[in-house]
Amino acid sequence: MNSLSPLFRRLAFGICATFCVATVHAAGAASYKVGATASGSPFTFLDIKSNSIQGVMVDVANAVGKAGGFTSEIEQTNFAGLIPSLTSGKLDFIAAGMLKTPERAQVVDFSAPVYAYGEGLIVSADDNATYTDLSSLKGQVVGVQAGTIFYDMLNKLGIFKEIRTYDSIGEMVRDLSLGRIKAAVGDQPVVAYQIRQKLFKGVKLAADYKPVNVGEVCLVVRKGDSETLARLNQAIASIKADGTLEAILKKWGLDAQVQP
């Protein structure tokens, strides 16, 4: 027996229609807010000409979006604010030069790696000594960016006369070029990119140095967000398989080999 009034039937139909549209939208294309920084070239940086965030990880975010059927809205956030913005729900995932560490893995989840790198040893351009490790710098004054895993590495060695810390790689390189420190340790691909762009002058990367702190760069999601993580991992696998990731890394002058 049909005892529903015409008004109730119209309301019920409207609610059902709204629910069905929302369900179709959720199951189809989505838009994710993606956190990136303005000062981490070549991974992420502010391009002055376009006034937009560009770099390796921006290209990766867009590529996984295309492969995964969603769009990536890049949100500029300072590096220290990336994880808090993610955990508070302001961001859906992070695409930046953020290394996977046990400490970070306690509060966020990491995707499959898209790149891996270690530290580079930066020396004066006229320093022709061979450096395969840091033991040759025993008793010297060296520099490192504050708050990085590389500071902990230098500190644990305990062989240096002094370890000077800097807020930025640029400040550290300037002191090195002026002869205030003997050598410096920093993110190898970042330093290499800046040298190629002729932004760091009077210095070079020690060609024979072998990094000991190699980490993975991944996309980062909220702890327990298994749905987004699975979607990103599937898309990462796709762009690895079809050569898209390799093309992105080559575009920015990075080694195309990705750690499994």
Side-chain angles (χ1 to χ4, degrees):
M1 185 177 75
N2 187 359
S3 60
L4 296 177
S5 69
L7 175 60
F8 187 86
R9 285 198 296 270
R10 288 197 298 271
L11 288 173
F13 176 80
I15 292 171
C16 179
T18 302
F19 176 77
C20 292
V21 169
T23 302
V24 169
H25 177 74
S31 178
Y32 289 145
K33 291 184 178 180
V34 183
T37 65
S39 56
S41 57
F43 293 105
T44 56
F45 63 93
L46 179 63
D47 179 63
I48 299 176
K49 293 181 180 178
S50 64
N51 195 34
S52 63
I53 304 298
Q54 301 291 328
V56 176
M57 297 306 290
V58 174
D59 287 355
V60 167
N62 289 328
V64 296
K66 184 177 180 180
F70 60 86
T71 58
S72 297
E73 298 179 10
I74 305 299
E75 303 277 342
Q76 180 177 329
T77 309
N78 64 63
F79 192 83
L82 284 172
I83 289 180
S85 294
L86 177 68
T87 57
S88 66
K90 294 179 180 178
L91 299 173
D92 295 307
F93 68 89
I94 296 169
M98 182 176 286
L99 292 177
K100 180 179 180 180
T101 67
E103 293 76 19
R104 288 170 179 159
Q106 292 180 7
V107 293
V108 294
D109 286 335
F110 289 87
S111 73
V114 298
Y115 187 67
Y117 73 87
E119 78 280 5
L121 179 63
I122 318 160
V123 296
S124 174
D126 59 5
D127 186 344
N128 296 317
T130 298
Y131 300 98
T132 56
D133 55 37
L134 297 173
S135 61
S136 301
L137 294 168
K138 182 178 181 179
Q140 298 288 345
V141 179
V142 298
V144 68
Q145 192 174 6
T148 65
I149 59 174
F150 306 136
Y151 170 78
D152 296 333
M153 178 186 74
L154 296 180
N155 197 43
K156 287 178 182 178
L157 284 175
I159 63 173
F160 307 105
K161 180 180 179 181
E162 183 185 351
I163 301 172
R164 295 185 184 176
T165 58
Y166 299 86
D167 290 332
S168 70
I169 294 178
E171 293 173 343
M172 179 173 71
V173 167
R174 183 167 59 250
D175 261 14
L176 175 59
S177 64
L178 293 172
R180 294 171 180 166
I181 56 178
K182 176 65 176 177
V185 172
D187 300 273
Q188 193 277 340
V190 174
V191 176
Y193 180 81
Q194 300 283 9
I195 291 175
R196 286 196 303 272
Q197 297 298 311
K198 303 187 185 303
L199 298 175
F200 289 168
K201 299 179 180 179
V203 300
K204 64 182 180 182
L205 284 164
D208 298 314
Y209 180 78
K210 306 297 182 186
V212 296
N213 254 320
V214 177
E216 296 175 339
V217 178
C218 310
L219 300 177
V220 188
V221 303
R222 274 186 295 279
K223 197 73 176 174
D225 187 357
S226 57
E227 182 177 347
T228 300
L229 185 62
R231 194 172 190 182
L232 293 179
N233 280 338
Q234 185 176 7
I236 290 170
S238 176
I239 67 172
K240 285 181 179 179
D242 68 11
T244 299
L245 179 58
E246 182 178 359
I248 291 171
L249 296 175
K250 284 184 176 180
K251 169 185 173 182
W252 294 99
L254 299 182
D255 183 352
Q257 296 301 313
V258 179
Q259 297 292 325

